[in-house]
Amino acid sequence: MLNIVLVEPEIPNNTGNIGRLCVGTESRLHLIHPFGFVINDKNLKRSGLDYWVHLDVTEYQNLEEWENKIVDKSRVFLMSSHTTKSIYNAEFKDGDWLVFGKESVGLSKEVLAKFENHLTIPMSNLIRSFNIANSVAFVVGEAKRQINLK
């Protein structure tokens, strides 16, 4: 089971869509506070539809609380548009942690400095980044593809 981590998510619709993706791919969702919305926000529930009740989700009050749960930090992959290693050049395994930053600024330099594995999704130079829900779908899809090949 993959672990999807959202650090300080800001937009309820994105988090709802990612939650729905996690249910569909049998992935766990980890949410690190603070959020830009209330977890019972109607928009979160609308985008997550009735799937939210089936979601394996854990909330953390801060980054340190989440970090204490990680057994093998070499299996943590941080997503950033400011790195060069493609998600298609990584070797994913069941149980990996896939970490995404907040919609407005991504992951902070402090968070990026805590872990070695930084990955990017290849994209045209015409855009700065993908929507976070789309980014999670890209990465989860590639990770699940690799895991199912093994």
Side-chain angles (χ1 to χ4, degrees), residues 86-118:
S86 169
I87 62 169
Y88 302 113
N89 294 327
E91 291 185 25
F92 296 109
K93 296 180 182 177
D94 195 33
D96 281 351
W97 298 85
L98 310 177
V99 184
F100 301 82
K102 60 172 109 178
E103 291 91 337
S104 61
V105 295
L107 293 167
S108 69
K109 289 180 182 177
E110 294 78 24
V111 173
L112 289 167
K114 291 178 180 277
F115 301 93
E116 292 180 20
N117 297 318
H118 300 180

Side-chain angles (χ1 to χ4, degrees), residues 9-24:
E10 298 171 313
I11 302 174
N13 296 31
N14 287 334
T15 302
N17 283 322
I18 293 165
R20 183 176 180 174
L21 176 73
C22 287
V23 171

Side-chain angles (χ1 to χ4, degrees), residues 43-100:
N43 292 322
L44 174 74
K45 289 186 177 178
R46 182 180 309 139
S47 56
L49 295 172
D50 55 345
Y51 304 106
W52 199 259
V53 296
H54 303 291
L55 180 61
D56 183 348
V57 61
T58 304
E59 292 182 43
Y60 304 89
Q61 291 309 305
N62 53 52
L63 195 65
E64 291 72 27
E65 183 182 350
W66 165 71
E67 280 184 274
N68 290 332
K69 184 171 181 153
I70 302 166
V71 176
D72 183 357
K73 292 190 177 189
S74 74
R75 302 312 310 168
V76 176
F77 296 89
L78 305 178
M79 304 306 146
S80 173
S81 59
H82 303 290
T83 191
T84 57
K85 184 174 180 182
S86 169
I87 62 169
Y88 302 113
N89 294 327
E91 291 185 25
F92 296 109
K93 296 180 182 177
D94 195 33
D96 281 351
W97 298 85
L98 310 177
V99 184
F100 301 82

